[in-house]
Amino acid sequence: MKLEKRVLFVCTGNTCRSPMAEGFFRKAVAGREDFISLGSAGVSAYDGDSISPETYDELKRCSATLTEFRSRSVTKEMLQEATHVFAMTEAHLRALTRSFPSYEDKCYLVCDFIEINGQSGLDVPDPIGMGSRAYKQVSKIFSHAIPALISFMESDEEE
């Protein structure tokens, strides 16, 4: 029996990167009962904001839409429930581990498990205000990172 993995994605405002990662993750694990998306949150989010129009468009283009999305700030309760928390940047990771040190062992960077230009552990760039091309670039990163995260979580279970 596979252990259930409960996943949370974290960025700054929870309107661009983390909801995009959430959408791609939900699509990738659709039909799998061992993966649960706890959604996404932001280290500096305003609760109740809508997903950015560019993020919505990019998710729709990739058939990975989110329904009834509203931004929210990361909480201790979210981290308690999660088995894996994936931050978009080193700054987000530091904010999480500084604010919630007892959950540090659950926190990773989205790009810890892939190489971009020969390097792993790079930040996912913030596309806000940069136009559709920037959102497509972030989408491309997630298209590589999400399968790698799933593989990591599956191999983590075997240890």
Side-chain angles (χ1 to χ4, degrees), residues 84-102:
H84 296 81
V85 179
F86 295 103
M88 300 299 133
T89 69
E90 190 68 44
H92 299 136
L93 191 60
R94 278 194 310 272
L96 286 170
T97 58
R98 189 173 47 244
S99 297
F100 308 100
S102 58

Side-chain angles (χ1 to χ4, degrees), residues 12-121:
T12 306
N14 191 217
T15 60
C16 297
R17 290 172 286 182
S18 60
M20 190 184 294
E22 175 187 350
F24 280 114
F25 180 77
R26 286 181 186 272
K27 180 181 177 185
V29 299
R32 291 188 63 171
E33 294 179 8
D34 54 331
F35 284 95
I36 305 296
S37 174
L38 298 179
S40 57
V43 295
S44 298
Y46 293 105
D47 290 344
D49 281 350
S50 298
I51 194 171
S52 76
E54 297 89 349
T55 297
Y56 175 84
D57 291 345
E58 189 59 22
L59 285 170
K60 185 176 178 183
R61 185 183 73 80
C62 298
S63 302
T65 57
L66 293 176
T67 57
E68 299 181 28
F69 178 87
R70 290 289 176 231
S71 65
R72 59 192 182 149
S73 295
V74 67
T75 65
K76 178 181 176 182
E77 292 75 22
M78 290 176 195
L79 296 177
Q80 282 175 324
E81 188 176 353
T83 59
H84 296 81
V85 179
F86 295 103
M88 300 299 133
T89 69
E90 190 68 44
H92 299 136
L93 191 60
R94 278 194 310 272
L96 286 170
T97 58
R98 189 173 47 244
S99 297
F100 308 100
S102 58
Y103 302 105
E104 183 174 3
D105 62 330
K106 298 180 177 187
C107 298
Y108 308 90
L109 286 174
V110 166
C111 292
D112 273 346
F113 311 99
I114 62 169
E115 284 190 7
I116 300 172
N117 298 326
Q119 294 183 304
S120 61

